Amino acid sequence: VRSGVEHKMVSMSNGTFGDRWQGIGTENGKEVVRVSGAWGKALHGSDVVSSLDSSIEAVTVIHNESSTGVTNPIHEIAESIRAKADPLLMVDVVTSAGSIDLKLKELQPDAAVFGSQKAMALPPGLAIMFASERLLKKAETVQNRGYYFDLVEMKKFADRDLTLTTPPISLLYGLDYQLGKMLKEGMRARFERTHEMAEVARTWALKRFKLYAEEGYRSDTIIVIEFGKLDFPAFNKALKARGYEVSGGYGKCKDISFRIGTMGDLRVEDIRELTKIMDEVLEGMT
Ligand SMILES: Cc1ncc(COP(=O)(O)O)c(C=O)c1O
């Protein structure tokens, strides 16, 4: 948003990371029209259209909301937006790029942002963004783009095969290796493996607990489980003693949920093994 919005944007949220992007807009001095939906439920095109007019330069939306385990239907949202207006479409694909099919050619986002440390299964440190020609052109007209995230300067350097700031070479080698591995596995196979892992985790969770995300929009990379009366710290401690660990809840869901990640290079056997160990730990706790 620093490079792509001069005055006004719409920012959609149904979780912590959506709220964060709304905050990022404000912190960068933009006027942010907040479209906020219920946590655990998906956002839809119908939620955003009434906020659109010609003054809206961009709409931001989180594809896979990691705090709630909801995957928002970004294609449907994009279609509704484009039927009414022509803002830039900026999508956070932090926990989906590399493990869920983004269908980028159909989506045609102006910005799609992610990091190395999630579904790409690399150490943290790289922020990766696809930027459209339209966004790069718009950036030329935006004042106060700062230095570090100035898309115009970045593009000038990229055109000479250079980076604006000192590149983390080791991570770029890692990315090259990981992309090679993905091509070898095949993206279709990778998406199917991710889905199968999520199904294993969801099936396990539904035997004992509730899923936070509404049916039909449940993420294939992050399973958010409402744990009810479970003593979660004791459960995770016992799991750790067996060499496994699950993530605590995040943001508003912190005290009511835990999360199982099913992304990156994990295998279906890993998730099956995890569910077996979680069953054993739970039986030991009752
Ligand atoms: C959907 C989503 N967006 C943004 C972020 C923030 O990423 P980072 O910690 O690399 O800034 C996260 C981190 O978990 C995330 O899950």
Side-chain angles (χ1 to χ4, degrees):
V1 300
R2 182 88 190 247
S3 278
V5 178
E6 181 70 52
H7 300 294
K8 196 169 170 188
M9 57 187 267
V10 166
S11 189
M12 302 178 76
S13 172
N14 52 347
T16 303
F17 294 102
D19 287 1
R20 186 176 296 176
W21 214 350
Q22 292 178 337
I24 288 170
T26 310
E27 283 145 22
N28 278 285
K30 316 299 173 190
E31 185 184 339
V32 179
V33 178
R34 292 170 185 242
V35 172
S36 298
W39 287 37
K41 300 269 185 288
L43 290 164
H44 292 281
S46 52
D47 295 318
V48 71
V49 282
S50 62
S51 307
L52 299 174
D53 60 38
S54 59
S55 69
I56 303 299
E57 296 157 68
V59 176
T60 72
V61 62
I62 311 291
H63 180 215
N64 195 65
E65 179 48 74
S66 319
S67 58
T68 62
V70 167
T71 301
N72 286 310
I74 42 173
H75 293 79
E76 178 222 299
I77 292 171
E79 205 173 300
S80 303
I81 291 172
R82 288 170 178 152
K84 166 117 193 244
D86 197 25
L88 297 167
L89 177 66
M90 301 180 170
V91 193
D92 170 324
V93 291
V94 171
T95 44
S96 50
S99 282
I100 299 177
D101 192 354
L102 302 173
K103 299 193 178 78
L104 278 182
K105 280 197 186 133
E106 289 158 34
L107 185 66
Q108 295 284 326
D110 293 289
V113 204
F114 59 106
S116 46
Q117 77 276 25
K118 299 287 194 315
M120 305 299 287
L122 285 166
L126 282 180
I128 305 165
M129 183 171 112
F130 307 135
S132 69
E133 291 291 339
R134 200 161 79 111
L135 171 57
L136 294 172
K137 271 213 122 31
K138 173 72 193 288
E140 288 171 10
T141 70
V142 172
Q143 304 297 307
N144 300 318
R145 297 185 302 269
Y147 179 78
Y148 204 73
F149 290 113
D150 182 351
L151 286 184
V152 178
E153 284 305 306
M154 279 186 193
K155 176 72 168 60
K156 279 188 202 154
F157 277 74
D159 286 344
R160 292 162 49 218
D161 286 337
L162 293 170
T163 51
L164 176 62
T165 52
T166 311
I169 295 287
S170 50
L171 280 173
L172 291 173
Y173 275 112
L175 179 63
D176 188 46
Y177 171 80
Q178 202 52 342
L179 291 174
K181 233 170 72 176
M182 285 182 183
L183 285 175
K184 201 160 161 214
E185 180 180 14
M187 291 314 286
R188 183 58 41 213
R190 193 172 170 92
F191 300 145
E192 278 166 11
R193 171 170 58 77
T194 306
H195 180 69
E196 203 182 330
M197 289 194 290
E199 284 290 296
V200 170
R202 278 193 283 261
T203 306
W204 174 84
L206 284 170
K207 276 194 309 199
R208 298 179 177 271
F209 303 107
K210 267 170 50 184
L211 294 171
Y212 190 78
E214 70 172 312
E215 208 174 341
Y217 299 95
R218 289 176 179 154
S219 165
D220 273 353
T221 56
I222 297 174
I223 319 302
V224 179
I225 299 163
E226 278 186 72
F227 57 66
K229 291 189 166 43
L230 174 75
D231 180 349
F232 175 68
F235 169 66
N236 216 12
K237 191 168 167 214
L239 261 187
K240 275 187 209 170
R242 302 281 308 268
Y244 284 82
E245 188 178 0
V246 291
S247 292
Y250 201 90
K252 224 161 63 179
C253 307
K254 187 174 183 317
D255 297 328
I256 59 161
S257 68
F258 69 89
R259 301 178 300 160
I260 298 178
T262 49
M263 65 183 89
D265 289 347
L266 287 170
R267 298 161 310 162
V268 178
E269 307 87 89
D270 298 325
I271 304 300
R272 284 197 207 287
E273 176 70 8
L274 171 68
T275 58
K276 187 174 136 257
I277 307 280
M278 288 193 297
D279 276 337
E280 288 169 12
V281 166
L282 285 171
E283 270 144 36
M285 285 173 73
T286 51

